[in-house]
Every structure is written in C-alpha cells, then in structure tokens.
Amino acid sequence: MDRRAFTAGILAMATLVAAPASAQQLSLGAISQYLNTIKSAEGSFTQINGDGTISTGTIAIKRPGKVRFDYNPPERALVLASAGSVYILDRKLNAQPETYPLNQTPLSIILDRNVDLTKAGMVTGHTFDGTATTVTAQDPKRPEYGTIQLKFTGNPVQLRQWIITDGDGNQTTVVLGDLQTKTLSNQMFYIDPELKKLR
C-alpha cells in the first residue's frame, strides 16, 4: 500500500445513520458546530487509495485528537492518532510504527478541540450541488501540508465522506458508513499495547 496515501487517509470523522439531504447549502458556522458535537463514536469506513485500490475497516473516534483505523485483511494495518502523533503500524511486518506529527496532516483541522471553519484562510472552497455541501479546508498556518475536502448532507447535518490531498498532490477518499455514538476508552488509542501484541 502506498505509504503516502496511507498517511493521507488517516483521519477521519464521524457520521450517524443516513438521513434526507438538506435543500440548502450549510453555513460554515453550522458545519463547525456539528463537528464540535462529535465526541465519541465507532463505525465502518471504505477507503479509496490514490492507486485506485480499496481498503475497508472500522473507525473509532474520540475528540479531541484521537482516532483509530483498524484495516481489514489483507492489510491488517492499524492507524492511530493520539497525543499529537499519528502512528501507522503494519501488523504483518511486526515492525516499529511510522510516526508523524498530527499537525502535519489536514486531519488535525477536524480533530481540533474547537473546530472553527470561519477562521481566515482556513476554507478555500465552499460549494453546494443541490444535495450536499462540500467544504475544502487547510491549516492556514501550514498550507503546505495539504487540504481536506469534506462532504456534508443536512437535516440533520452529517459528514458523509472526505478527500485528503497531501502536500505532494496524492489523494485518498474515505467514505463513512454507519457511525454510532459510543463510550470509548482512552486505552483504545494507545500505541504501546498494540506493540506488545507483536512480541
């Protein structure tokens, strides 16, 4: 699997059960408010990688700053974001994980403690196609790390998918399945217990 695409694909957000689409464009304020209500949830995802391959798995998210992607076979990979870092672990290799600062991925935008898409320079695109609102955002302090394009439906507001474009132009699409609100332990997002399982 392309490591850049893998890195770009991390970070994710949540969605609830499908609902009718809104008939009007969602404001940046309404979207920010919705993202800030996502605290702890679990569900499934489908990832379309930059090379056209497809990966599936389960996602657990606990805001602020924590997300876990467990990839189904044949990948058997694990991606964790916690304590300001992102860990990419290939369980098949039994090797030490690759590690990146969370703030060097566009994912940090939606995992922030207080999401505010109205900040100057954060949103570079805000469109509506009649059924869904699409917002393209970047970290205004670190635009070189890429963008995240978020697609929302309304009534109620829900995140359906995102496309992350990294600093080199590689794209990864993540489509969210049924995400359910659920109480999650912080231990789910610790890398050390996962490393011990490999010994």
Side-chain angles (χ1 to χ4, degrees):
M1 176 180 291
D2 185 333
R3 287 295 179 186
R4 289 188 179 276
F6 214 103
T7 303
I10 49 188
L11 285 52
M13 281 318 295
T15 183
L16 300 175
V17 180
S22 173
Q24 60 184 4
Q25 184 176 27
L26 299 167
S27 70
L28 296 180
I31 292 172
S32 298
Q33 182 178 15
Y34 160 73
L35 291 173
N36 285 322
T37 65
I38 299 171
K39 300 300 182 184
S40 184
E42 194 172 50
S44 63
F45 71 91
T46 298
Q47 179 173 305
I48 304 168
N49 304 303
D51 60 2
T53 59
I54 295 176
S55 306
T56 61
T58 57
I59 178 175
I61 183 165
K62 191 171 185 178
R63 294 185 61 256
K66 300 181 184 68
V67 72
R68 175 184 177 120
F69 291 83
D70 280 287
Y71 287 77
N72 294 330
E75 281 94 350
R76 292 186 57 247
L78 172 68
V79 176
L80 284 178
S82 184
S85 296
V86 175
Y87 304 93
I88 300 174
L89 178 63
D90 189 336
R91 294 181 173 111
K92 293 185 294 185
L93 297 179
N94 285 352
Q96 290 297 306
E98 296 181 31
T99 307
Y100 302 90
L102 177 58
N103 64 12
Q104 290 184 11
T105 75
L107 176 109
S108 61
I109 295 171
I110 52 178
L111 286 182
D112 198 4
R113 182 174 298 277
N114 181 31
V115 178
D116 183 4
L117 296 175
T118 66
K119 286 182 181 176
M122 179 167 284
V123 171
T124 61
H126 184 200
T127 61
F128 180 65
D129 65 5
T131 58
T133 299
T134 300
V135 173
T136 303
Q138 64 182 10
D139 184 340
K141 297 179 180 178
R142 306 176 183 89
E144 68 274 16
Y145 292 134
T147 63
I148 183 167
Q149 184 183 86
L150 306 159
K151 180 173 285 189
F152 300 87
T153 54
N155 193 30
V157 181
Q158 296 190 7
L159 177 61
R160 300 302 183 183
Q161 73 170 45
W162 70 86
I163 301 173
I164 288 181
T165 304
D166 68 16
D168 295 325
N170 300 301
Q171 288 191 334
T172 304
T173 300
V174 172
V175 179
L176 298 168
D178 240 4
L179 197 82
Q180 302 293 327
T181 299
K182 185 177 181 180
T183 300
L184 302 174
S185 167
N186 286 334
Q187 292 184 347
M188 283 187 65
F189 306 94
Y190 295 161
I191 189 63
D192 287 345
E194 300 300 329
L195 296 178
K196 289 179 180 178
K197 294 177 184 177
L198 303 178
R199 295 171 186 167

